[in-house]
Amino acid sequence: MSTLALLGIGAGSIALLLLLIIRWQVHAFVAMMLVSFLVAFATQMPIGDIISTLIAGMGGTLGSVAILVALGSMLGRMIEVSGGAASLANRFTQLLGPTRVPMALTAAALVLAIPVFFDVGFIILVPIVYGFCKAAGVNPIKFGLPVAGIMLAAHVVVPPHPGIVGGAAIVKGDIGWITIIGLAICIPLAALSQVVSGWLNRKGYPMLPTTAEQFAAFGSSQEGADSKDPKAAVAPGVGTIMALILIPLALIMAGTTGATLLPKGDSLRNVLGFIGSPIFALMVAVGLAMFLLGRNQGWNRERTNAIMESALPPAATVILVTGAGGVFAKVLTASGIGTALSQSLTATHLPLILLAFIISLALRAAQGSATVAIITTCGLLADAIAGGGYSPLQVALLTVAIGFGSLGLSHVNDSGFWIVTRYLGLSVGDGLRTWTVLTTVLGIAGFAMTALLWALVA
């Protein structure tokens, strides 16, 4: 089949995928599986190879993603239920002072966003944002917008979040390098989120009536009277929460450092590689959380198991969607579409890192899901990346660039847009003027820093 025909099928498959998800509201998992079958038929893949290709795509992606997402969800759920998020935010505020509450909340949000999914983490922090905003006499958007911005930035580029982990599995990116790069760039992005949000908030935005009522009632005596959860009195200390987040990161970074500095076959490198594997690192974190948080909260074995199990149903959907993205990516590769695209992109002489960002940004704007945008872009560019002779660090930078592409242009087809605008009391128009602008600025800035690192290591 000609290169032009393969590219046409590839473009048509993405267009159909977007129509299924956006126009006809088909679940992303079903849509990607259906389009994968259609692509296989359209490219005349041997019928005997279709099912095995789909299974290979699902298994190859979920071999690492399922474990990481499940363990990350359990860790985040225990931090959430224990009251650790409030403890973290309050401690950061004490350290930076009441006049720097927005900065403190943004810093706490960046740390919390590492193990906790964006929508869950933001909802956890909403009561804290409301409390500080009421005390300061300002609307929730003043403190909440930069918090949401940096949490989404971490969600798209820092493992163990599903999009970046799934994308790394497809392009064979090193999770350790991706973690180091993602965190290093997110730190200055936290400051940028604060500055841009302040600029966007230079004019006031009226709160939606429903949010205004909810905000006015927050902290009332009736609301407090209903709160009998004992966890507020025994919330874990910030040191405990920071340890649970930083220990697995330190283990992963140790493994990456060993693989970079020590020769192959070195016994220390092998040991560091084992303890620095993301799966082992998260297992350590979950085990510590079971002991430290469980003991602090007085959870018995049954209560601890129930909390951990409650994290799995939402994680299952994320895992399946990510796995379906792996299936779609495998079909694109096996059908020859990936090779055709790789050859065509090479002929344009545009930098691959720029194309990676643009494709991911376009997919994000078109269908809303950052995870789908990352997985699909990685699938499309897998052959170009594999055949480019890139170092592990360069592959990690390409993966992070794709992640930042999925950060920008969050709008009405993104569930995160509605979560942020609903809790901050923004109309759709005001949400586009603030949240959409903020995510796009952060995405472009994150890509710019990634591209600078690319230029330095090229």
Side-chain angles (χ1 to χ4, degrees):
M1 189 171 289
S2 69
T3 298
L4 184 61
L6 287 171
L7 291 177
I9 293 172
S13 67
I14 294 175
L16 177 58
L17 179 63
L18 298 178
L19 282 173
L20 287 170
I21 295 173
I22 299 170
R23 182 68 180 272
W24 296 308
Q25 302 295 307
V26 178
H27 192 279
F29 173 78
V30 177
M32 282 190 284
M33 292 299 296
L34 175 60
V35 173
S36 297
F37 272 108
L38 295 177
V39 169
F41 290 131
T43 56
Q44 301 175 6
M45 184 182 295
I47 194 167
D49 295 341
I50 293 176
I51 298 299
S52 60
T53 300
L54 268 60
I55 292 174
M58 178 70 76
T61 302
L62 293 189
S64 58
V65 173
I67 300 173
L68 292 179
V69 172
L71 290 173
S73 298
M74 289 179 178
L75 177 60
R77 181 62 174 161
M78 283 189 281
I79 291 174
E80 172 192 351
V81 174
S82 69
S87 177
L88 194 67
N90 289 329
R91 182 57 177 163
F92 271 71
T93 301
Q94 292 172 6
L95 290 173
L96 295 175
T99 60
R100 299 184 179 90
V101 166
M103 185 188 304
L105 289 176
T106 304
L110 172 58
V111 176
L112 182 66
I114 296 170
V116 181
F117 290 175
F118 165 71
D119 51 353
V120 174
F122 182 70
I123 292 170
I124 292 170
L125 285 179
V126 162
I128 303 167
V129 170
Y130 276 18
F132 284 124
C133 286
K134 288 204 76 170
V138 298
N139 285 0
I141 187 176
K142 297 289 185 180
F143 296 170
L145 191 63
V147 163
I150 193 56
M151 293 194 83
L152 184 58
H155 182 86
V156 298
V157 295
V158 179
H161 295 296
I164 196 69
V165 171
I170 292 170
V171 300
K172 297 179 173 58
D174 185 281
I175 292 292
W177 273 123
I178 291 171
T179 302
I180 293 170
I181 296 166
L183 282 175
I185 294 177
C186 279
I187 292 172
L189 283 186
L192 180 63
S193 181
Q194 192 68 49
V195 172
V196 174
S197 296
W199 181 79
L200 292 171
N201 280 321
R202 68 194 186 283
K203 57 168 287 186
Y205 296 97
M207 273 193 291
L208 295 175
T210 52
T211 306
E213 292 177 7
Q214 179 181 347
F215 182 60
F218 180 81
S220 67
S221 58
Q222 287 183 336
E223 186 175 345
D226 293 335
S227 180
K228 298 180 180 179
D229 190 346
K231 74 180 182 184
V234 291
V238 67
T240 301
I241 301 301
M242 290 293 291
L244 293 176
I245 295 172
L246 296 179
I247 286 174
L249 294 179
L251 291 175
I252 292 172
M253 291 178 187
T256 300
T257 302
T260 303
L261 300 179
L262 299 175
K264 290 184 178 180
D266 186 279
S267 58
L268 178 58
R269 171 177 170 152
N270 293 336
V271 171
L272 290 175
F274 173 75
I275 66 173
S277 65
I279 292 175
F280 180 82
L282 277 177
M283 281 290 293
V284 170
V286 170
L288 287 173
M290 292 172 63
F291 174 72
L292 297 175
L293 298 183
R295 183 184 63 179
N296 182 74
Q297 299 294 302
W299 296 339
N300 56 24
R301 187 70 57 83
E302 182 179 359
R303 172 63 173 158
T304 303
N305 289 340
I307 291 171
M308 295 173 68
E309 288 177 8
S310 69
L312 294 179
T317 299
V318 174
I319 290 169
L320 286 175
V321 170
T322 306
V327 171
F328 186 44
K330 184 68 174 181
V331 171
L332 290 174
T333 302
S335 65
I337 292 175
T339 301
L341 179 63
S342 173
Q343 294 172 347
S344 300
L345 292 177
T346 302
T348 66
H349 302 295
L350 290 175
L352 182 60
I353 193 168
L354 177 60
L355 288 167
F357 173 76
I358 292 173
I359 292 172
S360 180
L361 180 65
L363 287 171
R364 161 69 151 162
Q367 53 78 42
S369 169
T371 298
V372 172
I374 294 171
I375 296 291
T376 304
T377 304
C378 286
L380 286 170
L381 299 182
D383 282 342
I385 294 173
Y390 298 111
S391 68
L393 177 56
Q394 288 176 313
V395 174
L397 286 167
L398 286 167
T399 309
V400 171
I402 291 170
F404 280 123
S406 75
L407 172 58
L409 296 177
S410 170
H411 61 98
V412 294
N413 61 0
D414 174 24
S415 61
F417 175 89
W418 296 106
I419 290 173
V420 172
T421 54
R422 174 191 172 191
Y423 281 105
L424 299 185
L426 295 168
S427 66
V428 172
D430 289 340
L432 294 172
R433 295 183 191 97
T434 55
W435 174 243
T436 304
V437 172
L438 177 62
T439 59
T440 305
V441 170
L442 293 179
I444 293 173
F447 168 70
M449 285 184 271
T450 307
L452 177 60
L453 291 173
W454 175 270
L456 292 175
V457 303

